[in-house]
Amino acid sequence: MSLTSSSLSERLLPEHVVARARLGDREPLARLVIAGLAVLLVAVMLFSLTTGALQISLSAVVNGLFGQGEAASPSDLRDRIVLMDVRLPRVLLGALIGAALAVSGAVMQGLFRNPLADPGIVGVSAGAGLGAASMIVLGTTALSPVVAVLGIYALPLAAFLGGLVTTFALYRIGTRGGMTSVATMLLAGIALAALAGAATGLLVFIADDQQLRDLNFWGLGSLAGANWEKILAAGPIIAIVLVGVPFLANGLNALVLGEAAAGHLGIRVQRLKRIAIVAVAAATGASVAVSGGIGFVGIVVPHLLRLTIGPDHRFLLPACALLGGSLLILADTVSRTIVAPAELPIGILTALAGAPFFLWILLRRKGLVTS
């Protein structure tokens, strides 16, 4: 088969260079979008801090966050307690988890070279959930020595290990000779998710009443239990991943051309894959450990941004972090206000929005829809 000079160049050049050639130079647009998303994140955080069963004015929020001294009145003291002990941890946790899930989705899609890869869809979240469920149910018996040593970090570490094992198994099953089979990957993800679900079901069967309540929290996904201790447990893990993953951007761009081509471009492919797998497992595991299963963020956010700023991971990854955090904070604000004083699990909202989007992607890839 002969190759034209154009197609040969596209095989040899990094993915972001090819994207520029095909779609024009979107770097100025990407930088503008990232700046806009940073502003959006701050605005969404302030909106969420002021909104809820107890309305808190913007001036009270700013004063509570940056002001000093004692509260001037009992109502000011009440607002400050609600702000600092309830809403601020929740907003920060939402920003961290939304960013972690969106970035994990973008990394998995770059690693597998497939836009359908997502930690929730291919079973990574289920594996992380199994690890966390094991710690919840067995943490007072068989795994009590682990809990005694690790303390509050035992749960996120267990979720991390569950996600890591699942991601590694998925990669080994779905990849042969440097090529990833989409059908094999999705089917393997379904099988691994079912296996993790069955094991979690066994843990539910032997759990006591308190453990059952904790496990139900997992299944639905929620930020209702957000507090400073959970931020301390999961925040450092997620923060390390969010800071470190952008350094993989050029490698992920080159990997789109294939492992052999990426290797010829000087990318240490095997090391890149190992780091990416560990990063996805750590971010997903820590997120699942403190919020339960929140799906579709990892597939919706990267796709929305690729349509706008293109596939260059140098810009896609930070943009995913900002938009993912904003969307999850908004979803959480809706979940705790739409049926107040009750609270709708956030996992239901993300599934309602994400499932139709996922179907649209499938139909678009089949050519049944054009936009």
Side-chain angles (χ1 to χ4, degrees), residues 65-270:
L65 294 177
F66 304 106
Q68 297 181 351
E70 298 294 331
S73 66
S75 63
D76 290 340
L77 179 60
R78 177 201 58 192
D79 291 350
R80 184 169 298 185
I81 291 174
V82 171
L83 175 66
M84 300 304 293
D85 294 343
V86 179
R87 291 189 188 170
L88 185 58
R90 191 161 179 157
V91 167
L92 292 178
L93 200 62
L96 286 170
I97 292 173
L101 294 177
V103 169
S104 295
V107 171
M108 287 200 72
Q109 289 153 25
L111 182 65
F112 287 103
R113 284 168 276 165
N114 188 279
L116 300 180
D118 170 76
I121 293 173
V122 297
V124 178
S125 295
L130 173 60
S134 301
M135 191 58 65
I136 290 174
V137 177
L138 304 177
T140 57
T141 54
L143 298 178
S144 58
V146 178
V147 176
V149 173
L150 298 177
I152 61 174
Y153 295 101
L155 194 59
L157 284 177
F160 161 67
L161 290 176
L164 179 64
V165 171
T166 308
T167 308
F168 182 76
L170 184 69
Y171 187 82
R172 294 290 295 176
I173 295 172
T175 303
R176 285 290 183 275
M179 299 298 293
T180 300
S181 167
V182 178
T184 302
M185 182 191 71
L186 292 178
L187 291 174
I190 293 172
L192 290 171
L195 185 62
T200 303
L202 288 175
L203 292 170
V204 170
F205 182 74
I206 64 174
D208 60 27
D209 290 343
Q210 179 58 46
Q211 291 166 346
L212 282 175
R213 282 193 289 272
D214 293 338
L215 289 171
N216 283 333
F217 160 80
W218 285 80
L220 296 175
S222 174
L223 298 179
N227 53 43
W228 292 109
E229 286 75 17
K230 289 187 175 180
I231 291 179
L232 183 63
I237 298 173
I238 296 175
I240 291 172
V241 173
L242 294 179
V243 171
V245 158
F247 291 99
L248 305 178
N250 286 331
L252 292 172
N253 284 342
L255 198 58
V256 175
L257 301 174
E259 294 187 11
H264 287 305
L265 291 171
I267 303 298
R268 298 172 66 179
V269 175
Q270 295 304 319

Side-chain angles (χ1 to χ4, degrees), residues 28-50:
L29 174 63
R31 294 186 185 279
L32 184 63
V33 168
I34 290 175
L37 290 175
V39 175
L40 174 66
L41 178 61
V42 174
V44 167
M45 294 176 77
L46 291 174
F47 172 73
S48 184
L49 290 173
T50 59

Side-chain angles (χ1 to χ4, degrees), residues 286-301:
S287 300
V288 172
V290 294
S291 68
I294 298 176
F296 295 103
V297 175
I299 195 167
V300 171
V301 172

